[in-house]
Each structure stands twice: as structure tokens, then as C-alpha cells.
Amino acid sequence: MDFLKIFSKDNRNSKNIAKERLKLVLIHDRADISPKFLQMLESDIVRVMSEYVEIDEEGLDVKMTRTKRESDGSSVPALVANIPILKVKDKG
């Protein structure tokens, strides 16, 4: 019985992964942002931040998601960036 649970757990994980990927595709589509445009945004963010801090580009994660607007509770696209900072540059 435990052997079967292992396979069903993997299926749920795959299902959740596929569901999240589909959500991201829909968000990109609804926000009218192409993957190329998102890549350009990511490059610009890295360039500007690199003037002030040293970042771990391998750990960089920039993606589109949805968030609720505080003013009226409507759902809007949001750019979420997880940018690991290795150290702050001395700008003395």
C-alpha cells in the first residue's frame, strides 16, 4: 500500500507543477508580457542592482504572478523578484 502512495504523491506533485506552469502562462498572456520582454526586465534589474550590490545570478528568480490590489481587492499582475545579494558594494 505504501508503494502505491509513492506513485500517487508524485502524480499530485506533477499535477501541481503543471497547474502552476499553466497559471504563469495565463498571467503572462493576460498581462500582455512576452517571455522576451520579461527577460529584458530581468536583465535591466540585474544591471541596475549590480551597480550597488553583488548578486548571485544563479539564484535569481524573476516571474510574473497575480496579487490583490489593496484599494479594491481586484487581482492584478505582479512582477516578483527573488535576488540573492552576496554583498553590498562600497560606494564611498
Side-chain angles (χ1 to χ4, degrees), residues 7-54:
F7 286 112
S8 65
K9 183 178 177 183
D10 287 341
N11 288 338
R12 275 186 273 130
N13 285 338
S14 295
K15 176 184 171 185
N16 289 338
I17 291 169
K19 187 176 176 180
E20 286 302 312
R21 286 181 182 161
L22 180 57
K23 281 182 186 179
L24 289 174
V25 168
L26 290 172
I27 290 167
H28 283 275
D29 193 43
R30 288 181 184 153
D32 198 27
I33 295 177
S34 70
K36 183 178 178 180
F37 184 75
L38 185 60
Q39 181 62 42
M40 289 175 9
L41 277 174
E42 183 179 318
S43 295
D44 284 350
I45 290 168
V46 168
R47 181 182 48 78
V48 170
M49 287 192 65
S50 293
E51 293 179 23
Y52 304 97
V53 294
E54 187 178 317

Side-chain angles (χ1 to χ4, degrees), residues 26-92:
L26 290 172
I27 290 167
H28 283 275
D29 193 43
R30 288 181 184 153
D32 198 27
I33 295 177
S34 70
K36 183 178 178 180
F37 184 75
L38 185 60
Q39 181 62 42
M40 289 175 9
L41 277 174
E42 183 179 318
S43 295
D44 284 350
I45 290 168
V46 168
R47 181 182 48 78
V48 170
M49 287 192 65
S50 293
E51 293 179 23
Y52 304 97
V53 294
E54 187 178 317
I55 58 178
D56 177 13
E57 290 191 42
E58 289 182 21
L60 182 72
D61 182 30
V62 178
K63 61 185 172 184
M64 291 296 295
T65 189
R66 304 245 354 130
T67 190
K68 290 196 181 212
R69 193 179 333 194
E70 285 186 31
S71 61
D72 62 3
S74 64
S75 182
V76 294
L79 181 68
V80 177
N82 182 8
I83 306 169
I85 298 172
L86 299 174
K87 72 176 191 176
V88 177
K89 293 182 178 179
D90 185 21
K91 283 285 191 177

